[in-house]
Amino acid sequence: MSSSPLQRRGSEARGLEPRAREPRVLLEADAEMAESVHLLASRKPGAALKLPMARLFLATFAGVSLLLAALVFVVDYTVDPYGHFAEAHDAYPYEPSDGSRAPAYMLNRSLFKLIHLDKFMAETAARGEAVQLLVGDSLGKQVNPRLLAEATGRPWFNLAFGGANLIENTLLIEHLIARNGTNGERIERILWNFPFTRIRLQPKDEMTRALAVKDRVYAHLFTFESLRATVFSLRKRWFGIDVIDPVRNLPVDELVAYNIRRFQVDTEGMAWPGEMLDRVTAVTQKALAAGIEVVFLVVPVHPDLQAVFERDFADRFARYRSFLDGSCVIDLTPDAATRWPAAHFRDDIHLAAPHIPALTRAVEAELAQGCTA
């Protein structure tokens, strides 16, 4: 029996495509999925991997950085150029040694000396001994503490280093005063090399940083300073190449004349550093109040330079001498031209190596007699 046209139309209406009868929510979800697929297909190959690759790069970078930091730490710790982990103090350059730490000493003298002062003080405190210390610049560095210790029977340590100015000296002495009497440490005397050439204002201050760094042992191992000292120390051990001070390639007479002329130009018209000297006076009185004797040491210089002091800067030199009046002073300059002739010097202020021991012996003799005040 055939169906009527009306029935067929009803059947066709009931037989519409399933998608046309699906809920609107499902249709919207399908549309969104299709759009996502289209967008992914339109991207460049590998674009979907950008985030994982960035994470991989960061992880690799962090890993390599940690590995390099660990390597630097292990190498610096093993070489230990400044002697942070040494069992005993290193008295370079005053005692015979292999000089393996000489490069570190040359790169940062103040830090090197402070690190080994701590060890020296601990050693003497364990023996119940009071120490004698020398402070100053390269003129005072010429005094050999080992010879002083042998002559006096007391432990000596030389904290003087090249280029040290009076502000750095006062900062160091304030540190010494603060530690006196702590952990069994006792300081009996400070011998302060006090040259006329340092009566000037200088902004340089290596001491503040050195005092801070010496107590941050492990942090210092990660510094470029420590790494550089390690490299130079290994270079010396393996190839015998040392770090030396730059010295002008001039005959002694020309070097003396050049340095004297430079001193004249630098000092001419320079203001009197009254505030700095007031600070010197204050720290000296503070040391005396803490039971530490302070003795000023005046070391001879080249006769030509001494003549410039007395001739070209007579007023300034007289004020310098007046400042020392009333203090405990060991003055090695009387008759200096006879005792310390020009032939004994390697430049305008430093004695030649063969004559340095005589300077220490002169200091020994003056200490035995007592200072003048």
Side-chain angles (χ1 to χ4, degrees), residues 76 81-82 84 220-231:
D76 282 359
Y82 284 93
H84 283 294
H220 187 241
L221 292 179
F222 290 101
T223 63
F224 174 74
E225 176 180 67
S226 181
L227 180 61
R228 182 175 64 157
T230 292
V231 171

Side-chain angles (χ1 to χ4, degrees), residues 315-334:
D315 292 342
R316 190 180 185 88
F317 188 67
R319 293 182 71 177
Y320 158 74
R321 301 299 303 191
S322 177
F323 175 80
L324 292 174
D325 287 346
S327 301
C328 188
V329 181
I330 290 179
D331 187 359
L332 301 180
T333 59

Side-chain angles (χ1 to χ4, degrees), residues 22-59:
E22 289 180 356
R24 182 180 299 276
V25 174
L26 294 178
L27 293 175
E28 292 176 352
D30 288 346
E32 291 178 359
M33 183 178 294
E35 184 179 359
S36 298
V37 171
H38 175 73
L39 290 174
L40 287 173
S42 66
R43 291 182 179 179
K44 295 180 180 179
L49 298 179
K50 283 186 177 179
L51 184 58
M53 286 297 291
R55 288 175 178 171
L56 178 61
F57 171 78
L58 291 175

Side-chain angles (χ1 to χ4, degrees), residues 2-322:
S2 61
S3 59
S4 66
L6 181 61
Q7 289 176 327
R8 287 197 297 272
R9 286 194 297 271
S11 298
E12 290 173 358
R14 289 193 299 271
L16 290 173
E17 290 294 330
R19 175 175 292 277
R21 298 196 306 271
E22 289 180 356
R24 182 180 299 276
V25 174
L26 294 178
L27 293 175
E28 292 176 352
D30 288 346
E32 291 178 359
M33 183 178 294
E35 184 179 359
S36 298
V37 171
H38 175 73
L39 290 174
L40 287 173
S42 66
R43 291 182 179 179
K44 295 180 180 179
L49 298 179
K50 283 186 177 179
L51 184 58
M53 286 297 291
R55 288 175 178 171
L56 178 61
F57 171 78
L58 291 175
T60 303
F61 178 80
V64 172
S65 298
L66 289 174
L67 181 62
L68 289 175
L71 180 62
V72 168
F73 176 85
V74 170
V75 173
D76 282 359
Y77 180 87
T78 302
V79 177
D80 192 17
Y82 284 93
H84 283 294
F85 306 101
E87 295 183 358
H89 78 278
D90 191 331
Y92 178 85
Y94 306 107
E95 293 182 2
S97 70
D98 61 359
S100 60
R101 293 194 173 93
Y105 170 80
M106 297 301 295
L107 292 172
N108 193 332
R109 297 171 177 88
S110 54
L111 177 59
F112 184 95
K113 295 225 171 188
L114 285 172
I115 290 171
H116 292 281
L117 171 69
D118 287 351
K119 302 179 187 301
F120 172 79
M121 295 291 284
E123 293 167 11
T124 53
R127 299 194 301 265
E129 296 180 300
V131 302
Q132 326 285 309
L133 303 175
L134 199 148
V135 172
D137 65 359
S138 59
L139 278 79
K141 176 180 163 289
Q142 297 176 111
V143 179
N144 190 322
R146 180 173 58 85
L147 298 181
L148 285 179
E150 292 174 356
T152 62
R154 297 177 180 179
W156 279 84
F157 191 89
N158 193 332
L159 285 162
F161 60 91
N165 58 45
L166 294 184
I167 294 299
E168 290 171 322
N169 292 167
T170 57
L171 289 170
L172 175 57
I173 293 174
E174 287 171 352
H175 167 73
L176 297 174
I177 294 170
R179 69 188 297 172
N180 185 42
T182 63
N183 301 318
E185 298 177 353
R186 291 187 297 124
I187 301 172
E188 183 177 2
R189 176 189 293 144
I190 294 175
L191 184 60
W192 190 348
N193 169 59
F194 202 84
F196 178 62
T197 51
R198 291 296 170 189
I199 306 300
R200 59 179 65 195
L201 290 172
Q202 291 177 300
K204 181 179 76 71
D205 174 16
E206 298 176 8
M207 188 56 60
T208 298
R209 178 182 177 276
L211 287 169
V213 168
K214 78 178 184 68
D215 294 324
R216 298 201 296 264
V217 178
Y218 290 99
H220 187 241
L221 292 179
F222 290 101
T223 63
F224 174 74
E225 176 180 67
S226 181
L227 180 61
R228 182 175 64 157
T230 292
V231 171
F232 285 137
S233 295
L234 291 176
R235 185 182 69 169
K236 180 174 181 179
R237 293 181 188 182
W238 295 342
F239 305 107
I241 302 174
D242 209 344
V243 178
I244 59 174
D245 280 327
V247 178
R248 288 183 174 273
N249 188 21
L250 294 173
V252 173
D253 290 346
E254 293 183 30
L255 183 59
V256 169
Y258 171 83
N259 286 339
I260 288 177
R261 180 56 185 160
R262 183 174 178 179
F263 171 79
Q264 290 173 309
V265 172
D266 290 346
T267 309
E268 188 67 40
M270 182 177 290
W272 180 254
E275 184 176 346
M276 182 184 72
L277 294 177
D278 289 342
R279 185 171 175 176
V280 170
T281 300
V283 76
T284 302
Q285 293 173 347
K286 188 176 179 180
L288 295 174
I292 303 173
E293 181 185 11
V294 177
V295 180
F296 290 103
L297 173 64
V298 182
V299 177
V301 296
H302 193 284
D304 291 353
L305 180 58
Q306 183 67 32
V308 168
F309 293 168
E310 299 172 2
R311 182 189 67 241
D312 298 351
F313 302 98
D315 292 342
R316 190 180 185 88
F317 188 67
R319 293 182 71 177
Y320 158 74
R321 301 299 303 191
S322 177

